[in-house]
Amino acid sequence: MSVVTKVVLQMNAKLGGELWSIHIPVKGIMYVGIDTYHDSGSNKSVGGFVASMNDLCTRYFSKTTWQESKQELISQLQVCTSDALKEYHRLNNAYPQRVIVFRDGVGDGQLLAVKEIELSSIKRALETLPQKPQLIFAVVTKRIQQRFFLKQGTRLSNPLPGSVWTRR
């Protein structure tokens, strides 16, 4: 790409244009991402919340909350979720049929607290809607203990990208 093309793409993006999109056949889904940032030089932590606003996943709503230092759980999650749902409705003239939440940065010892506090906050926000959407809540972690290998003859190798494991 030429320099002029790159500059025009940046101008388009800054003016609200959509440079890319993904085709998802299922419509009416709001994808939500939640994480917490801990500043080492401050006595505050920041909770980040982002939600998709359209079926192409090119428009987003975002909100941040200030919290006590090293506090992983986001206390204002009901407000963030309610605000995102209102904005989704304003842009689409409908509420999402499904809400899929990806929660990052949670240690194994905090999973129960996330379920009792954060998941409950999101459910309370969804209960205010005329028709409650389906909720999927996934905790994303990088500290995975399981290792998977593909046996090829007498050799073990990494599984192919896109491999799926299920329990029987």
Side-chain angles (χ1 to χ4, degrees):
M1 269 195 253
S2 71
V3 173
V4 173
T5 303
K6 289 180 182 180
V7 170
V8 171
L9 288 174
Q10 287 181 8
M11 290 170 52
N12 182 30
K14 291 180 181 189
L15 292 171
E18 299 172 352
L19 302 179
W20 57 267
S21 67
I22 54 177
H23 173 70
I24 301 173
V26 181
K27 304 297 180 199
I29 300 177
M30 183 170 77
Y31 298 94
V32 176
I34 304 168
D35 199 1
T36 307
Y37 169 74
H38 308 288
D39 187 10
S40 59
S42 171
N43 61 350
K44 294 281 186 181
S45 292
V46 180
F49 178 97
V50 64
S52 64
M53 293 286 115
N54 63 4
D55 289 332
L56 297 175
C57 295
T58 57
R59 302 277 181 197
Y60 292 91
F61 169 88
S62 64
K63 193 166 188 136
T64 56
T65 62
W66 291 96
Q67 303 170 164
E68 295 301 316
S69 179
K70 307 300 180 202
Q71 179 181 335
E72 189 63 45
L73 301 177
I74 299 176
S75 56
Q76 296 294 318
L77 206 47
Q78 184 175 352
V79 174
C80 293
T81 305
S82 293
D83 290 350
L85 290 166
K86 288 175 190 171
E87 184 66 9
Y88 187 99
H89 186 268
R90 186 184 74 77
L91 294 171
N92 298 288
N93 293 323
Y95 290 106
Q97 298 167 7
R98 294 177 184 89
V99 176
I100 302 176
V101 179
F102 296 95
R103 177 60 162 102
D104 192 18
V106 178
D108 291 339
Q110 296 175 310
L111 289 175
L112 185 60
V114 166
K115 179 183 175 186
E116 292 175 353
I117 297 170
E118 291 188 347
L119 185 56
S120 297
S121 295
I122 292 171
K123 285 181 176 179
R124 280 194 302 273
L126 295 177
E127 287 169 357
T128 64
L129 300 181
Q131 185 174 352
K132 187 177 173 186
Q134 179 186 11
L135 173 64
I136 299 170
F137 190 93
V139 175
V140 181
T141 180
K142 296 173 193 84
R143 294 177 283 284
I144 300 172
Q145 302 298 326
Q146 294 81 13
R147 300 287 182 238
F148 298 100
F149 298 97
L150 178 63
K151 188 173 182 179
Q152 295 178 323
T154 59
R155 293 184 41 224
L156 294 177
S157 63
N158 288 326
L160 298 172
S163 298
V164 176
W165 278 260
T166 60
R167 287 189 183 174
R168 292 182 191 220

